[in-house]
Amino acid sequence: MFRFNAKALASAKPIVGSVRYVRTINFAGTNEVVHERSDYPAQKLKEFFSGSPIAVIGYGSQGYGQGLNLRDNGLDVLVGVREGGESWKLAQEDGWVPGKNLFPINEAIDRSSYVLNLLSDAAQSSTWPQIKDRLEGKTLCFSHGFSPVFHELTKVEPPSNVDTILVAPKGSGRTVRSLFKEGRGINSSYAVWKDVSGKAEEKAVALAIAVGSGYVYETTFEREVYSDLYGERGCLMGGIHGMFLAQYEVLRENGHTPSEAFNETVEEATQSLYPLIGKYGMDYMYDACSTTARRGALDWYPRFKDALKPVFEDLYQSVKDGSETKRSLDFNSQADYRDRLEEELQTIRNMEIWKVGKEVRKLRPENVQV
Ligand SMILES: NC(=O)c1ccc[n+]([C@@H]2O[C@H](COP(=O)([O-])OP(=O)(O)OC[C@H]3O[C@@H](n4cnc5c(N)ncnc54)[C@H](OP(=O)(O)O)[C@@H]3O)[C@@H](O)[C@H]2O)c1
């Protein structure tokens, strides 16, 4: 547990001399520091951020989740987005009021002590020239290490006189919001890029809890961005999609019906087996399956691992050398990037496997009307 006294919080000075319990957890032999939400009740957060307005710049998935959670935590928060854009409209629908707590980006920054840069990663780069000179005396926070770590490509170099921190929720902003509303919190990581005040770490942890985190893990900007870009291209999204497609295609090429191919590839995975891995672990999932299934999976997983490892090695290299960042910036900076993305998503929607999925989902017990 990690505790400090209210007086120290009120003055927002580094906590020196007060008892501070930091939870150290042994993760399979490696000790890591973890902070938790219960160490920062609402009143302490209010005292910590008292007199320090927080500007949430951008109102995409993270701006929405983090902004509303900060507001519900009773903090002085304002949203900054471009006037007349989609986000300006969405923010108003969520109760942000122009001139009160909704402002154009520059004005929101000027009115704040904390600046949470939650623009799209491409927009962080293109708007940096207008933002960088307004940051003196403030604390700058990112939710991704992308912009500062790849500064040679993004041109985002936090000023040397500004506390610069990272609070990165491990999930979409929608989940940041829904878990907060359920009285729980998403896991996040935090890091310090530049500690000018001597309080940057404390600010990062407090901010992480304030935006709706449950447990907060220590990282670095580099580790966060490398693992994040790698993971989403790999097992979280790209890799798993590729594996589903390969398995489905071979089943179809061997005469299996669309529903059978889908059920054996996606439906059983997502509805029956993967939730077991999530809840109880891989060994439990093996244990829950037949001896025939177990024997086969135990024999084949090393072959899949060996076949895929070189692909993951290429991927990590492509993340680390900036190729993935360059590709993302080039694509997402184009004026028509939303239309082009939509075209690619349409291609996925039109794949046989995902069209079959739509029909299979209708037949799930919870979707069948009796
Ligand atoms: N989404 C996630 O799951 C997730 C998870 C963890 C961390 N993160 C990180 O959180 C940050 C925000 O991501 P996000 O997914 O919430 O947002 P996003 O959808 O990538 O970005 C949306 C915001 O960027 C603004 N924007 C785009 N182009 C702009 C421009 N040229 N000028 C001004 N504003 C512009 C949009 O405003 P308009 O509506 O006006 O276009 C909108 O408010 C990123 O650093 C991301 O890597 C995201």
Side-chain angles (χ1 to χ4, degrees):
M1 302 281 268
F2 175 25
R3 302 201 183 288
F4 45 78
N5 65 43
K7 227 170 157 188
L9 276 171
S11 59
K13 287 189 175 131
I15 292 132
V16 180
S18 62
V19 183
R20 183 169 174 160
Y21 301 94
V22 176
R23 176 181 282 220
T24 301
I25 298 184
N26 184 316
F27 291 98
T30 302
N31 284 333
E32 294 188 38
V33 170
V34 177
H35 303 275
E36 74 177 290
R37 176 185 166 143
S38 58
D39 299 324
Y40 290 82
Q43 188 53 32
K44 281 190 179 177
L45 287 176
K46 273 192 202 154
E47 287 165 7
F48 188 85
F49 290 105
S50 162
S52 303
I54 302 168
V56 170
I57 305 302
Y59 204 72
S61 158
Q62 290 298 329
Y64 154 84
Q66 297 188 30
L68 291 179
N69 291 353
L70 287 164
R71 195 171 76 183
D72 286 353
N73 270 329
L75 305 181
D76 183 2
V77 50
L78 31 134
V79 168
V81 288
R82 50 184 168 185
E83 217 169 349
E86 183 65 16
S87 296
W88 185 269
K89 252 190 326 202
L90 291 173
Q92 280 182 278
E93 284 168 19
D94 289 337
W96 303 96
V97 180
K100 183 179 167 217
N101 52 19
L102 174 61
F103 296 95
I105 293 174
N106 287 356
E107 199 177 337
I109 294 175
D110 293 347
R111 287 170 173 265
S112 68
S113 304
Y114 285 78
V115 178
L116 277 52
N117 194 334
L118 300 178
L119 295 171
S120 71
D121 295 309
Q124 289 180 20
S125 191
S126 61
T127 58
W128 186 245
Q130 82 181 55
I131 287 180
K132 67 178 168 40
D133 295 329
R134 317 186 92 89
L135 297 171
E136 199 177 335
K138 303 183 192 295
T139 298
L140 174 63
C141 179
F142 293 94
S143 276
H144 199 5
F146 190 97
S147 295
V149 169
F150 293 109
H151 56 84
E152 282 175 13
L153 293 164
T154 63
K155 309 294 175 213
V156 176
E157 272 198 83
S160 57
N161 58 350
V162 168
D163 274 354
T164 304
I165 58 179
L166 172 89
V167 171
K170 301 284 109 190
S172 109
R174 301 275 146 195
T175 320
V176 170
R177 182 62 179 155
S178 60
L179 287 175
F180 177 85
K181 284 196 343 195
E182 287 168 27
R184 301 191 286 152
I186 194 155
N187 288 343
S188 299
S189 54
Y190 79 93
V192 173
W193 180 264
K194 186 93 206 159
D195 184 5
V196 180
S197 65
K199 297 183 254 174
E201 181 178 359
E202 192 181 340
K203 288 177 179 177
V205 176
L207 197 55
I209 303 295
V211 301
S213 309
Y215 287 97
V216 188
Y217 302 79
E218 193 177 16
T219 187
T220 64
F221 273 68
E222 285 83 1
R223 280 199 282 123
E224 190 279 334
V225 70
Y226 295 164
S227 58
D228 188 79
L229 295 179
Y230 175 76
E232 65 205 8
R233 280 153 183 73
C235 284
L236 302 180
M237 292 172 72
I240 200 71
H241 190 192
M243 193 145 155
F244 281 156
L245 291 180
Q247 171 160 320
Y248 182 88
E249 277 178 26
V250 171
L251 283 169
R252 293 286 289 129
E253 283 156 15
N254 282 279
H256 295 267
T257 61
S259 65
E260 186 167 63
F262 187 85
N263 280 328
E264 281 300 329
T265 303
V266 182
E267 191 70 354
E268 189 171 338
T270 59
Q271 302 309 296
S272 170
L273 300 186
Y274 293 178
L276 294 181
I277 304 174
K279 244 181 164 169
Y280 306 113
M282 187 61 85
D283 58 333
Y284 183 96
M285 190 272 277
Y286 270 77
D287 230 16
C289 293
S290 71
T291 45
T292 312
R294 257 184 257 164
R295 183 66 265 139
L298 286 166
D299 290 342
W300 275 86
Y301 86 77
R303 281 190 65 179
F304 280 109
K305 194 198 122 187
D306 291 347
L308 289 171
K309 197 162 171 202
V311 181
F312 279 101
E313 282 165 346
D314 282 356
L315 169 58
Y316 195 85
Q317 198 44 42
S318 182
V319 166
K320 202 169 171 190
D321 69 14
S323 304
E324 295 304 310
T325 297
K326 184 168 181 332
R327 160 108 179 107
S328 172
L329 284 174
D330 288 348
F331 185 88
N332 295 328
S333 310
Q334 292 171 19
D336 63 347
Y337 85 95
R338 280 196 169 112
D339 298 336
R340 293 176 61 191
L341 178 68
E342 180 49 33
E343 265 174 43
E344 290 188 70
L345 293 181
Q346 192 58 32
T347 306
I348 292 179
R349 236 169 262 138
N350 286 333
M351 284 177 179
E352 183 188 280
I353 180 174
W354 302 118
K355 286 210 280 208
V356 175
K358 207 169 156 192
E359 298 309 312
V360 169
R361 284 196 292 279
K362 289 184 194 159
L363 303 179
R364 285 187 192 155
E366 68 271 24
N367 295 335
V368 175
Q369 302 205 336
V370 278

